[in-house]
Amino acid sequence: MSLIEIKNLHATVDGKAILKGVDLTINAGEVHAIMGPNGAGKSTLSYVLAGREGYEITEGSVTFDGQDLLSMEIEERAAAGLFLAFQYPVEIPGVSNTTFLKEALNAIRKTRGETPLDAMQFLKLIRAKAKDLSMNDEMIKRAVNVGFSGGEKKRNEALQMAVLQPKLAILDETDSGLDIDALKIVAEGVNRLRGPERGMLVITHYQRLLDYIVPDVVHVLANGRIVKSGGKELALELEAKGYAEFGVTEAA
Amino acid sequence: MAATEQTIEQVKNLAEGKYKYGFFTDIESETAPKGLSEDIVRFISAKKGEPEWLLEWRLKAYRHWLTMDEPDWAKLHYPPIDYQDSYYYSAPKTTAGPKSLDEVDPELLKTYEKLGIPLKEQAILAGVEGAGDSPSIAVDAVFDSVSVATTFKKKLEEKGIVFCSISEAVKTHPDLVRQYLGTVVPYSDNYFATLNCAVFTDGSFVYIPKGVRCPMELSTYFRINAKNTGQFERTLIIADEGSYVSYLEGCTAPQRDENQLHAAVVELVALDDATIKYSTVQNWYPGDENGKGGIYNFVTKRAACRGRNSKVSWTQVETGSAITWKYPSCILQGDNSVGEFYSVAITNNMQQADTGTKMIHIGKNTRSTIISKGISAGRAQNTYRGLVRILPKAQNARNFTQCDSLLIGDKCGAHTVPYIESRNRTARVEHEATTAKISEDQLFYCRQRGLKEEDAVGLIVNGFCKEVLKELPMEFAVEAQKLVAISLEGSVG
Ligand SMILES: Nc1ncnc2c1ncn2[C@@H]1O[C@H](COP(=O)(O)OP(=O)(O)OP(=O)(O)O)[C@@H](O)[C@H]1O
Ligand SMILES: [Mg+2]
């Protein structure tokens, strides 16, 4: 069964067309990768799926887990199991990672009609997940992303994903900024989440990440459309030849 | 009708000079008529069975008040207050209260529910008739009982601590009251404080003896025989040498009051090596979203750090009232004395707040810290106004001030008005100020993680206020966090 089905999606920002007919279907259990030149619309696609304001959907539809995604509020999409690891994670001064994630998880649980976790239960959970990602206690007590290095921020996104256990995780360049060891650790975290009910959309510029998170399908997004799809060998091919070989001219 | 006739009769009698206390033959009468006059002042004093000196003091204040003008320097706009249109003693119910909770504004009830206030409590707070015939029982109920209060009282007595209403203290500890009352905020201080001197009805009195550390937070909740003293409250706290006390004022539950004008005075005195920590949560009715109704809160709070090494710390969370005019201050007279001011002021809809502090450095090595967090939403206006004054003898005085403003939406305003006057070259004064907005990115990030927009705002604002909220005693802090979030509901989207 398809987890998410994007059909002919068109979106504009400030009157400028960015997505120009994206078609993409991810089935439960699959990992898809999206590659493509700077400015192609990869982040835009992830924002539109997450429901960020400021984008006008001019055409197309998205069905997520049987629901009309585009008619849902941002937090409803999150509760339905959609997670976006941000390309540029946001800082929230004065709010500890623990508080933030506990509030988030319990908000989602509440929407799903599940009982909230108490402070002790939650602490146990977050500590275990942090340990998996080699994050120490000090890190989970600190204010969300405040003063975090680029790599630490990305690792923090991975921690949030591990705690929230989404059905569909969209990772927007989670690998950029990570050192080699961190890349492995985060990739392992992502792989732990893989399962028959879950799907992933991994946006990256580098084939290297796909050595660790092996995708089922690789897509090339250029000029607001998916111009080519293939198996994991497509990533290697792209790395060797660049986008021009695929009839893609650099976006302005 | 009968009441009016009676009043006319009394006025007639007064004109004929028949009554010592003006209008009233019957001291048992529960109310004074509207308006302010020497007779009303005498009536209040007589009602309380006050000694002559206190009556004279009240009258002196009243006469002085007549010569004063209402201050207009604050960044506040409100229609002129008709002081003759108010009741100054035990205001009668002008409109009957709701008969049951069904008649209470559902918005108010929703808020109570969110704060987790039990039903019985809700009825009392909302002023349902007969729900709490004596407000003192109401406050006891908050913490489940008279017995808790009684146990507390016994514990305090063992240590020699006096904690009672100021009226009671006038009777039981007249020397202490006379020695300190009006010494921090003189009767001629300012328009609203002077008015308070003339007509104050009640408030708290605390005395901590030498070397005693008060074993518990003193809260107005626990004050035995607490009366409904809302309008012109007067509080006096004296911490004798080497003593410590933490005092909590207010309540997170939104409180309604038929009296629009509130003018309280709080005086704190800290002697050598004494520490007073004073925490306030103010959540009076702010008026509706169009600015209709709401309390005008003109408060004078001041602390005298008289002794060497004395310390006073003010922490306030101001979320209520239509108008807030309030500058809790410290006079740092003793050498090495310390003054602190931690403030969160939230204004939403049409609320206006002009609040801050004054730190007056007189003694050597005196230090002060000011942390102010102003949050403005809706069409509200929020002003920080602070004075740091270093007098010539204040060698090595230090001040650090940080004023942060947070704006939600683009129709509100935040203003910072710091006054710095330094007359000693060895003094160091630092001032930092920031203004920020809750960014779309932050909201999106929080919502992407599953938080509702309102909860996201609450979380972000709580983070913004953290430095101040952590100064509150534990039991207050949790409630205050919820309150911060609730006060901003409806401010986005
Ligand atoms: N608010 C905006 N106004 C105008 N153009 C915008 C706006 N937001 C995004 N764009 C443009 O949309 C295009 C797609 O941006 P997007 O961030 O989706 O690219 P991307 O594929 O994620 O690129 P990268 O690989 O650099 O992260 C870019 O050309 C960008 O400049
Ligand atoms: Mg991008």
Side-chain angles (χ1 to χ4, degrees), chain B residues 263-283:
Chain B
V265 171
V266 175
E267 296 180 282
L268 310 184
V269 179
L271 302 181
D272 286 358
D273 304 300
T275 298
I276 302 174
K277 190 172 163 57
Y278 193 106
S279 313
T280 306
V281 170
Q282 184 269 116
N283 191 20

Side-chain angles (χ1 to χ4, degrees), chain A residues 13-19 36-47 54-55 87-88 172-173 203 205 221 251-252:
Chain A
V13 180
D14 294 334
K16 183 183 167 197
I18 313 280
L19 300 184
N38 295 134
K42 303 182 296 296
S43 292
T44 304
L45 175 63
S46 70
Y47 290 148
Y55 298 90
Q87 183 174 2
Y88 305 107
D172 192 356
E173 296 194 26
I203 298 169
H205 284 294
L221 185 79

Side-chain angles (χ1 to χ4, degrees), chain A residues 52 73 75 78 84 157 160, chain B residues 441-442 445 447-449:
Chain A
R52 186 181 189 162
E73 293 290 341
E75 57 270 27
L84 171 61
E157 294 293 285
Q160 296 182 17
Chain B
D441 283 350
Q442 284 175 324
Y445 192 65
R447 293 176 71 190
Q448 205 306 302
R449 298 303 184 245

Side-chain angles (χ1 to χ4, degrees), chain B residues 69-106:
Chain B
D69 289 321
E70 206 173 306
D72 59 1
W73 42 260
K75 198 176 162 46
L76 300 170
H77 299 280
Y78 54 94
I81 299 167
D82 182 357
Y83 292 89
Q84 296 303 337
D85 193 37
S86 252
Y87 292 95
Y88 292 86
Y89 188 81
S90 194
K93 276 205 158 51
T94 45
T95 51
K99 297 279 181 292
S100 73
L101 276 178
D102 300 338
E103 292 179 29
V104 176
D105 180 358

